[in-house]
Short mmCIF file of all heavy atoms in Angstrom, two decimals:
data_model
loop_
_atom_site.label_atom_id
_atom_site.label_comp_id
_atom_site.label_asym_id
_atom_site.label_seq_id
_atom_site.Cartn_x
_atom_site.Cartn_y
_atom_site.Cartn_z
N MET A 134 159.16 41.61 106.36
CA MET A 134 158.37 42.79 106.67
C MET A 134 159.21 44.06 106.49
O MET A 134 158.72 45.05 105.96
CB MET A 134 157.81 42.66 108.08
CG MET A 134 156.87 43.75 108.39
SD MET A 134 155.45 43.65 107.31
CE MET A 134 154.24 44.55 108.18
N THR A 135 160.43 44.01 106.96
CA THR A 135 161.28 45.17 106.89
C THR A 135 161.53 45.57 105.42
O THR A 135 161.47 46.76 105.06
CB THR A 135 162.69 44.87 107.52
OG1 THR A 135 162.44 44.44 108.87
CG2 THR A 135 163.57 46.09 107.51
N ASN A 136 161.74 44.58 104.55
CA ASN A 136 161.91 44.88 103.12
C ASN A 136 160.63 45.50 102.51
O ASN A 136 160.73 46.40 101.70
CB ASN A 136 162.26 43.61 102.38
CG ASN A 136 163.64 43.10 102.70
OD1 ASN A 136 164.49 43.86 103.17
ND2 ASN A 136 163.85 41.80 102.54
N TYR A 137 159.48 45.00 102.93
CA TYR A 137 158.21 45.55 102.43
C TYR A 137 158.07 47.03 102.83
O TYR A 137 157.72 47.88 102.00
CB TYR A 137 157.02 44.74 102.93
CG TYR A 137 155.70 45.38 102.60
CD1 TYR A 137 155.16 45.26 101.31
CD2 TYR A 137 155.04 46.14 103.54
CE1 TYR A 137 153.95 45.86 101.01
CE2 TYR A 137 153.84 46.75 103.25
CZ TYR A 137 153.31 46.61 101.96
OH TYR A 137 152.13 47.21 101.66
N VAL A 138 158.33 47.32 104.11
CA VAL A 138 158.22 48.69 104.58
C VAL A 138 159.20 49.61 103.90
O VAL A 138 158.85 50.72 103.44
CB VAL A 138 158.39 48.74 106.14
CG1 VAL A 138 158.46 50.20 106.60
CG2 VAL A 138 157.27 48.02 106.81
N ARG A 139 160.43 49.13 103.70
CA ARG A 139 161.46 49.93 103.03
C ARG A 139 160.98 50.24 101.58
O ARG A 139 161.09 51.38 101.12
CB ARG A 139 162.79 49.21 103.03
CG ARG A 139 163.91 50.01 102.38
CD ARG A 139 165.23 49.28 102.38
NE ARG A 139 165.62 48.83 103.70
CZ ARG A 139 165.79 47.55 104.03
NH1 ARG A 139 165.62 46.59 103.18
NH2 ARG A 139 166.17 47.23 105.27
N GLU A 140 160.48 49.24 100.88
CA GLU A 140 160.02 49.43 99.51
C GLU A 140 158.81 50.37 99.47
O GLU A 140 158.73 51.26 98.61
CB GLU A 140 159.68 48.10 98.88
CG GLU A 140 159.25 48.20 97.44
CD GLU A 140 158.92 46.84 96.83
OE1 GLU A 140 159.45 45.82 97.30
OE2 GLU A 140 158.12 46.84 95.88
N TRP A 141 157.88 50.16 100.42
CA TRP A 141 156.70 51.04 100.43
C TRP A 141 157.09 52.49 100.66
O TRP A 141 156.61 53.37 100.01
CB TRP A 141 155.74 50.59 101.52
CG TRP A 141 154.44 51.27 101.45
CD1 TRP A 141 153.34 50.93 100.78
CD2 TRP A 141 154.10 52.51 102.13
NE1 TRP A 141 152.32 51.85 100.97
CE2 TRP A 141 152.81 52.84 101.80
CE3 TRP A 141 154.82 53.37 102.97
CZ2 TRP A 141 152.18 53.97 102.24
CZ3 TRP A 141 154.18 54.52 103.43
CH2 TRP A 141 152.89 54.80 103.09
N LYS A 142 157.99 52.74 101.61
CA LYS A 142 158.42 54.09 101.90
C LYS A 142 159.10 54.72 100.72
O LYS A 142 158.93 55.90 100.40
CB LYS A 142 159.38 54.12 103.09
CG LYS A 142 158.66 53.99 104.43
CD LYS A 142 159.65 54.08 105.58
CE LYS A 142 158.99 54.03 106.89
NZ LYS A 142 159.94 54.17 108.02
N SER A 143 159.91 53.95 99.99
CA SER A 143 160.60 54.52 98.82
C SER A 143 159.63 54.89 97.74
O SER A 143 159.87 55.84 96.96
CB SER A 143 161.66 53.54 98.31
OG SER A 143 161.06 52.40 97.74
N ASN A 144 158.49 54.20 97.61
CA ASN A 144 157.52 54.48 96.60
C ASN A 144 156.50 55.55 97.02
O ASN A 144 155.80 56.10 96.19
CB ASN A 144 156.74 53.24 96.20
CG ASN A 144 157.61 52.21 95.48
OD1 ASN A 144 158.58 52.61 94.82
ND2 ASN A 144 157.32 50.95 95.66
N HIS A 145 156.42 55.82 98.35
CA HIS A 145 155.40 56.75 98.85
C HIS A 145 156.04 57.91 99.67
O HIS A 145 155.40 58.49 100.50
CB HIS A 145 154.41 56.02 99.74
CG HIS A 145 153.59 54.98 99.01
ND1 HIS A 145 154.02 53.70 98.81
CD2 HIS A 145 152.41 55.10 98.37
CE1 HIS A 145 153.11 53.07 98.12
NE2 HIS A 145 152.14 53.87 97.85
N HIS A 146 157.32 58.16 99.42
CA HIS A 146 158.00 59.16 100.25
C HIS A 146 157.37 60.57 100.18
O HIS A 146 157.44 61.32 101.13
CB HIS A 146 159.49 59.23 99.91
CG HIS A 146 159.75 59.78 98.53
ND1 HIS A 146 159.72 58.98 97.42
CD2 HIS A 146 160.08 61.01 98.13
CE1 HIS A 146 159.97 59.71 96.36
NE2 HIS A 146 160.22 60.95 96.76
N GLN A 147 156.70 60.89 99.11
CA GLN A 147 156.06 62.22 98.98
C GLN A 147 154.92 62.33 99.96
O GLN A 147 154.58 63.46 100.38
CB GLN A 147 155.51 62.48 97.58
CG GLN A 147 156.38 62.16 96.43
CD GLN A 147 156.24 60.73 95.98
OE1 GLN A 147 156.31 59.76 96.74
NE2 GLN A 147 156.05 60.51 94.66
N GLU A 148 154.25 61.25 100.32
CA GLU A 148 153.06 61.27 101.17
C GLU A 148 153.41 61.27 102.66
O GLU A 148 152.56 61.53 103.49
CB GLU A 148 152.21 60.06 100.87
CG GLU A 148 151.81 59.95 99.43
CD GLU A 148 151.22 58.59 99.08
OE1 GLU A 148 150.79 57.86 99.98
OE2 GLU A 148 151.20 58.25 97.87
N LEU A 149 154.67 60.96 102.99
CA LEU A 149 155.05 60.83 104.41
C LEU A 149 155.45 62.19 104.98
O LEU A 149 156.12 62.97 104.34
CB LEU A 149 156.22 59.86 104.55
CG LEU A 149 155.98 58.45 104.11
CD1 LEU A 149 157.29 57.64 104.18
CD2 LEU A 149 154.94 57.78 104.98
N PRO A 150 155.04 62.48 106.24
CA PRO A 150 155.49 63.73 106.86
C PRO A 150 157.03 63.69 107.07
O PRO A 150 157.57 62.62 107.29
CB PRO A 150 154.80 63.74 108.19
CG PRO A 150 154.01 62.45 108.33
CD PRO A 150 154.19 61.69 107.07
N THR A 151 157.69 64.78 106.94
CA THR A 151 159.15 64.80 106.97
C THR A 151 159.69 64.53 108.37
O THR A 151 160.76 63.95 108.50
CB THR A 151 159.68 66.16 106.48
OG1 THR A 151 159.13 67.18 107.27
CG2 THR A 151 159.32 66.37 105.02
N ALA A 152 159.03 64.93 109.43
CA ALA A 152 159.55 64.77 110.78
C ALA A 152 159.07 63.51 111.48
O ALA A 152 159.35 63.29 112.62
CB ALA A 152 159.14 66.00 111.64
N GLY A 153 158.30 62.69 110.80
CA GLY A 153 157.81 61.44 111.43
C GLY A 153 156.46 61.65 112.13
O GLY A 153 155.95 60.73 112.72
N TYR A 154 155.95 62.84 112.12
CA TYR A 154 154.66 63.14 112.73
C TYR A 154 154.03 64.26 112.01
O TYR A 154 154.66 64.99 111.25
CB TYR A 154 154.78 63.46 114.22
CG TYR A 154 155.65 64.71 114.48
CD1 TYR A 154 155.05 65.95 114.54
CD2 TYR A 154 157.00 64.60 114.68
CE1 TYR A 154 155.81 67.08 114.74
CE2 TYR A 154 157.77 65.72 114.87
CZ TYR A 154 157.18 66.96 114.93
OH TYR A 154 157.95 68.06 115.14
N GLU A 155 152.75 64.46 112.20
CA GLU A 155 152.06 65.55 111.54
C GLU A 155 151.58 66.54 112.63
O GLU A 155 150.94 66.15 113.57
CB GLU A 155 150.86 65.00 110.79
CG GLU A 155 150.14 66.04 109.96
CD GLU A 155 149.05 65.43 109.06
OE1 GLU A 155 149.16 64.23 108.73
OE2 GLU A 155 148.14 66.17 108.70
N ARG A 156 151.98 67.78 112.44
CA ARG A 156 151.61 68.83 113.43
C ARG A 156 150.11 69.12 113.34
O ARG A 156 149.58 69.36 112.26
CB ARG A 156 152.39 70.06 113.19
CG ARG A 156 152.10 71.16 114.18
CD ARG A 156 153.15 72.27 114.08
NE ARG A 156 152.82 73.38 114.88
CZ ARG A 156 153.04 73.44 116.21
NH1 ARG A 156 153.54 72.39 116.81
NH2 ARG A 156 152.71 74.48 116.90
N LEU A 157 149.47 69.13 114.49
CA LEU A 157 148.02 69.49 114.55
C LEU A 157 147.95 70.94 114.93
O LEU A 157 148.60 71.38 115.90
CB LEU A 157 147.32 68.60 115.59
CG LEU A 157 147.38 67.10 115.27
CD1 LEU A 157 146.74 66.33 116.41
CD2 LEU A 157 146.69 66.79 113.96
N GLU A 158 147.09 71.67 114.23
CA GLU A 158 146.98 73.09 114.55
C GLU A 158 145.49 73.41 114.69
O GLU A 158 144.61 72.82 114.02
CB GLU A 158 147.58 73.93 113.42
CG GLU A 158 149.05 73.77 113.33
CD GLU A 158 149.73 74.72 112.32
OE1 GLU A 158 149.08 75.70 111.96
OE2 GLU A 158 150.84 74.40 111.90
N HIS A 159 145.21 74.42 115.52
CA HIS A 159 143.83 74.91 115.69
C HIS A 159 143.90 76.37 116.03
O HIS A 159 144.94 76.89 116.46
CB HIS A 159 143.11 74.10 116.73
CG HIS A 159 143.89 73.89 118.03
ND1 HIS A 159 143.93 74.77 119.02
CD2 HIS A 159 144.66 72.80 118.40
CE1 HIS A 159 144.69 74.31 120.01
NE2 HIS A 159 145.16 73.16 119.63
N PRO A 160 142.79 77.12 115.84
CA PRO A 160 142.80 78.55 116.02
C PRO A 160 143.06 78.90 117.51
O PRO A 160 142.74 78.10 118.40
CB PRO A 160 141.40 78.95 115.62
CG PRO A 160 140.84 77.84 114.84
CD PRO A 160 141.56 76.61 115.29
N PRO A 161 143.59 80.10 117.76
CA PRO A 161 143.80 80.59 119.16
C PRO A 161 142.50 80.55 119.95
O PRO A 161 141.44 80.84 119.46
CB PRO A 161 144.30 81.99 119.00
CG PRO A 161 144.88 82.08 117.61
CD PRO A 161 144.03 81.09 116.80
N GLY A 162 142.61 80.19 121.19
CA GLY A 162 141.45 80.14 122.09
C GLY A 162 140.74 78.80 122.07
O GLY A 162 139.81 78.57 122.87
N GLU A 163 141.17 77.89 121.20
CA GLU A 163 140.57 76.55 121.18
C GLU A 163 141.58 75.60 121.78
O GLU A 163 142.76 75.83 121.87
CB GLU A 163 140.21 76.12 119.77
CG GLU A 163 139.07 76.93 119.21
CD GLU A 163 138.64 76.39 117.85
OE1 GLU A 163 139.14 75.34 117.40
OE2 GLU A 163 137.76 77.02 117.25
N ALA A 164 141.06 74.41 122.23
CA ALA A 164 141.91 73.41 122.87
C ALA A 164 141.79 72.08 122.16
O ALA A 164 140.85 71.81 121.43
CB ALA A 164 141.55 73.27 124.34
N GLN A 165 142.76 71.26 122.45
CA GLN A 165 142.78 69.88 121.90
C GLN A 165 143.06 68.96 123.06
O GLN A 165 143.94 69.21 123.88
CB GLN A 165 143.85 69.74 120.84
CG GLN A 165 143.96 68.34 120.28
CD GLN A 165 145.10 68.25 119.27
OE1 GLN A 165 145.60 69.27 118.78
NE2 GLN A 165 145.46 67.06 118.97
N LEU A 166 142.34 67.84 123.12
CA LEU A 166 142.52 66.88 124.17
C LEU A 166 142.66 65.52 123.49
O LEU A 166 141.89 65.17 122.60
CB LEU A 166 141.31 66.87 125.08
CG LEU A 166 141.37 65.95 126.30
CD1 LEU A 166 142.44 66.41 127.27
CD2 LEU A 166 140.04 65.90 126.97
N ASP A 167 143.63 64.73 123.94
CA ASP A 167 143.85 63.41 123.35
C ASP A 167 144.25 62.47 124.46
O ASP A 167 144.81 62.86 125.46
CB ASP A 167 144.91 63.45 122.25
CG ASP A 167 144.90 62.26 121.34
OD1 ASP A 167 143.97 61.44 121.48
OD2 ASP A 167 145.79 62.16 120.52
N PHE A 168 143.97 61.18 124.27
CA PHE A 168 144.38 60.22 125.27
C PHE A 168 144.74 58.91 124.56
O PHE A 168 144.40 58.68 123.43
CB PHE A 168 143.24 59.96 126.28
CG PHE A 168 141.99 59.40 125.66
CD1 PHE A 168 141.74 58.07 125.60
CD2 PHE A 168 141.03 60.24 125.17
CE1 PHE A 168 140.60 57.56 125.02
CE2 PHE A 168 139.86 59.79 124.56
CZ PHE A 168 139.64 58.43 124.49
N GLY A 169 145.47 58.07 125.30
CA GLY A 169 145.88 56.83 124.72
C GLY A 169 146.80 56.09 125.64
O GLY A 169 146.94 56.44 126.82
N THR A 170 147.38 55.02 125.17
CA THR A 170 148.32 54.19 125.92
C THR A 170 149.68 54.34 125.32
O THR A 170 149.85 54.37 124.11
CB THR A 170 147.86 52.73 125.88
OG1 THR A 170 146.56 52.63 126.34
CG2 THR A 170 148.75 51.88 126.74
N MET A 171 150.67 54.50 126.17
CA MET A 171 152.07 54.59 125.72
C MET A 171 152.97 53.72 126.56
O MET A 171 152.66 53.40 127.71
CB MET A 171 152.54 56.01 125.70
CG MET A 171 152.51 56.67 127.06
SD MET A 171 152.82 58.48 127.00
CE MET A 171 154.55 58.53 126.71
N GLU A 172 154.06 53.26 125.93
CA GLU A 172 154.99 52.44 126.65
C GLU A 172 156.13 53.31 127.22
O GLU A 172 156.69 54.12 126.50
CB GLU A 172 155.58 51.37 125.71
CG GLU A 172 156.46 50.39 126.39
CD GLU A 172 157.00 49.33 125.44
OE1 GLU A 172 157.58 49.71 124.40
OE2 GLU A 172 156.84 48.15 125.72
N VAL A 173 156.40 53.13 128.51
CA VAL A 173 157.49 53.86 129.16
C VAL A 173 158.43 52.89 129.84
O VAL A 173 158.06 51.75 130.15
CB VAL A 173 156.94 54.88 130.19
CG1 VAL A 173 156.08 55.92 129.53
CG2 VAL A 173 156.22 54.20 131.30
N GLU A 174 159.66 53.35 130.07
CA GLU A 174 160.61 52.55 130.85
C GLU A 174 160.75 53.20 132.23
O GLU A 174 161.05 54.42 132.33
CB GLU A 174 161.97 52.51 130.16
CG GLU A 174 162.96 51.71 130.94
CD GLU A 174 164.37 51.81 130.40
OE1 GLU A 174 164.53 52.42 129.32
OE2 GLU A 174 165.29 51.28 131.01
N HIS A 175 160.49 52.48 133.28
CA HIS A 175 160.60 53.00 134.63
C HIS A 175 161.43 52.00 135.45
O HIS A 175 161.05 50.84 135.60
CB HIS A 175 159.22 53.17 135.26
CG HIS A 175 159.25 53.66 136.65
ND1 HIS A 175 159.70 54.94 136.97
CD2 HIS A 175 158.90 53.07 137.83
CE1 HIS A 175 159.60 55.12 138.26
NE2 HIS A 175 159.14 54.01 138.79
N GLN A 176 162.60 52.42 135.91
CA GLN A 176 163.50 51.62 136.69
C GLN A 176 163.85 50.33 135.94
O GLN A 176 163.92 49.25 136.52
CB GLN A 176 162.96 51.34 138.07
CG GLN A 176 162.72 52.59 138.91
CD GLN A 176 162.17 52.31 140.26
OE1 GLN A 176 161.61 51.25 140.52
NE2 GLN A 176 162.24 53.29 141.15
N GLY A 177 164.12 50.45 134.62
CA GLY A 177 164.56 49.31 133.85
C GLY A 177 163.45 48.36 133.43
O GLY A 177 163.72 47.36 132.76
N VAL A 178 162.18 48.67 133.74
CA VAL A 178 161.05 47.84 133.36
C VAL A 178 160.13 48.61 132.40
O VAL A 178 159.80 49.77 132.68
CB VAL A 178 160.27 47.39 134.62
CG1 VAL A 178 159.07 46.55 134.23
CG2 VAL A 178 161.17 46.65 135.56
N PHE A 179 159.76 47.99 131.30
CA PHE A 179 158.81 48.61 130.39
C PHE A 179 157.38 48.38 130.85
O PHE A 179 157.04 47.30 131.23
CB PHE A 179 158.99 48.07 128.93
CG PHE A 179 160.25 48.55 128.33
CD1 PHE A 179 161.42 47.76 128.32
CD2 PHE A 179 160.29 49.78 127.71
CE1 PHE A 179 162.58 48.22 127.72
CE2 PHE A 179 161.44 50.25 127.08
CZ PHE A 179 162.59 49.45 127.14
N LYS A 180 156.60 49.48 130.83
CA LYS A 180 155.21 49.39 131.29
C LYS A 180 154.32 50.19 130.32
O LYS A 180 154.77 51.10 129.71
CB LYS A 180 155.05 50.05 132.67
CG LYS A 180 155.89 49.41 133.75
CD LYS A 180 155.71 50.21 135.05
CE LYS A 180 156.57 49.58 136.14
NZ LYS A 180 156.39 50.27 137.43
N ASP A 181 153.08 49.73 130.20
CA ASP A 181 152.07 50.51 129.46
C ASP A 181 151.40 51.41 130.46
O ASP A 181 150.93 51.01 131.51
CB ASP A 181 151.05 49.60 128.82
CG ASP A 181 151.60 48.82 127.62
OD1 ASP A 181 152.60 49.31 127.05
OD2 ASP A 181 151.04 47.79 127.25
N VAL A 182 151.31 52.71 130.12
CA VAL A 182 150.64 53.68 130.96
C VAL A 182 149.62 54.44 130.13
O VAL A 182 149.76 54.60 128.91
CB VAL A 182 151.63 54.66 131.62
CG1 VAL A 182 152.58 53.99 132.57
CG2 VAL A 182 152.38 55.47 130.59
N LYS A 183 148.58 54.90 130.80
CA LYS A 183 147.58 55.74 130.12
C LYS A 183 148.06 57.17 130.12
O LYS A 183 148.65 57.64 131.08
CB LYS A 183 146.23 55.66 130.84
CG LYS A 183 145.69 54.22 130.95
CD LYS A 183 145.36 53.69 129.58
CE LYS A 183 144.75 52.30 129.72
NZ LYS A 183 144.67 51.60 128.49
N ALA A 184 147.88 57.86 129.02
CA ALA A 184 148.30 59.27 128.91
C ALA A 184 147.14 60.15 128.47
O ALA A 184 146.35 59.74 127.64
CB ALA A 184 149.44 59.35 127.90
N LEU A 185 147.06 61.29 129.09
CA LEU A 185 146.08 62.30 128.74
C LEU A 185 146.85 63.58 128.39
O LEU A 185 147.61 64.08 129.22
CB LEU A 185 145.11 62.59 129.91
CG LEU A 185 144.04 63.63 129.66
CD1 LEU A 185 143.08 63.16 128.58
CD2 LEU A 185 143.31 63.91 130.96
N VAL A 186 146.69 64.08 127.17
CA VAL A 186 147.42 65.25 126.70
C VAL A 186 146.42 66.36 126.41
O VAL A 186 145.49 66.17 125.67
CB VAL A 186 148.25 64.89 125.43
CG1 VAL A 186 149.02 66.10 124.93
CG2 VAL A 186 149.19 63.74 125.69
N PHE A 187 146.70 67.53 126.96
CA PHE A 187 145.84 68.70 126.78
C PHE A 187 146.69 69.81 126.21
O PHE A 187 147.77 70.12 126.77
CB PHE A 187 145.24 69.12 128.12
CG PHE A 187 144.43 70.40 128.04
CD1 PHE A 187 143.16 70.39 127.46
CD2 PHE A 187 144.94 71.59 128.51
CE1 PHE A 187 142.44 71.54 127.34
CE2 PHE A 187 144.21 72.76 128.42
CZ PHE A 187 142.95 72.74 127.85
N ARG A 188 146.25 70.44 125.16
CA ARG A 188 146.95 71.54 124.58
C ARG A 188 145.94 72.66 124.31
O ARG A 188 144.86 72.45 123.80
CB ARG A 188 147.59 71.13 123.27
CG ARG A 188 148.29 72.25 122.61
CD ARG A 188 148.96 71.84 121.32
NE ARG A 188 149.40 73.03 120.63
CZ ARG A 188 150.06 73.02 119.52
NH1 ARG A 188 150.30 71.90 118.92
NH2 ARG A 188 150.43 74.15 118.97
N CYS A 189 146.35 73.86 124.67
CA CYS A 189 145.47 75.04 124.48
C CYS A 189 146.27 76.21 123.93
O CYS A 189 147.34 76.52 124.48
CB CYS A 189 144.82 75.41 125.81
SG CYS A 189 143.71 76.78 125.67
N ASN A 190 145.77 76.80 122.91
CA ASN A 190 146.40 78.03 122.36
C ASN A 190 145.64 79.20 123.00
O ASN A 190 144.49 79.45 122.71
CB ASN A 190 146.23 78.12 120.86
CG ASN A 190 147.21 77.23 120.14
OD1 ASN A 190 148.11 76.69 120.72
ND2 ASN A 190 146.99 77.06 118.86
N LEU A 191 146.33 79.91 123.91
CA LEU A 191 145.72 81.06 124.56
C LEU A 191 146.00 82.33 123.76
O LEU A 191 147.06 82.46 123.17
CB LEU A 191 146.24 81.23 125.96
CG LEU A 191 145.92 80.04 126.90
CD1 LEU A 191 146.56 80.27 128.27
CD2 LEU A 191 144.42 79.88 127.06
N LEU A 192 145.06 83.20 123.76
CA LEU A 192 145.21 84.47 123.03
C LEU A 192 145.53 85.54 124.08
O LEU A 192 144.69 85.85 124.93
CB LEU A 192 143.91 84.75 122.29
CG LEU A 192 143.93 85.94 121.29
CD1 LEU A 192 144.93 85.65 120.20
CD2 LEU A 192 142.56 86.09 120.70
N TYR A 193 146.70 86.12 124.01
CA TYR A 193 147.09 87.20 124.95
C TYR A 193 147.00 88.52 124.25
O TYR A 193 147.42 88.68 123.11
CB TYR A 193 148.52 86.96 125.45
CG TYR A 193 148.66 85.74 126.30
CD1 TYR A 193 149.19 84.56 125.79
CD2 TYR A 193 148.21 85.76 127.61
CE1 TYR A 193 149.30 83.45 126.57
CE2 TYR A 193 148.32 84.62 128.40
CZ TYR A 193 148.91 83.46 127.88
OH TYR A 193 149.00 82.36 128.65
N PHE A 194 146.53 89.52 124.95
CA PHE A 194 146.44 90.91 124.41
C PHE A 194 147.39 91.76 125.12
O PHE A 194 147.62 91.76 126.27
CB PHE A 194 145.02 91.45 124.56
CG PHE A 194 144.06 90.66 123.72
CD1 PHE A 194 143.24 89.69 124.27
CD2 PHE A 194 143.90 90.97 122.39
CE1 PHE A 194 142.35 89.01 123.50
CE2 PHE A 194 142.97 90.28 121.59
CZ PHE A 194 142.21 89.28 122.18
#
């Protein structure tokens, strides 16, 4: 599997975001809300936790 992914990335490097993620943008005054499950380490134990992320671009005058 590792070899497949390495080969795929070398053939599709133009399509991949450079930082490993794609920045989401929206106009000022609008908000974005997302949720999901993420793995965290707490006191040496890995756990799945639910995450709610809220982002808002405020317009200041």
Side-chain angles (χ1 to χ4, degrees):
M134 186 63 159
T135 305
N136 292 335
Y137 172 80
V138 171
R139 184 181 304 119
E140 183 179 335
W141 187 92
K142 283 183 178 181
S143 69
N144 293 330
H145 296 86
H146 67 277
Q147 314 88 309
E148 303 167 19
L149 299 174
T151 57
Y154 61 89
E155 186 172 336
R156 182 167 174 78
L157 300 176
E158 295 186 19
H159 46 85
E163 292 187 5
Q165 177 182 346
L166 184 68
D167 198 5
F168 61 93
T170 304
M171 58 190 286
E172 185 179 53
V173 298
E174 179 187 356
H175 180 67
Q176 298 179 344
V178 178
F179 288 97
K180 301 177 181 181
D181 287 338
V182 296
K183 302 295 181 190
L185 179 66
V186 179
F187 175 76
R188 178 179 171 179
C189 181
N190 283 350
L191 297 177
L192 190 62
Y193 293 102
F194 295 98

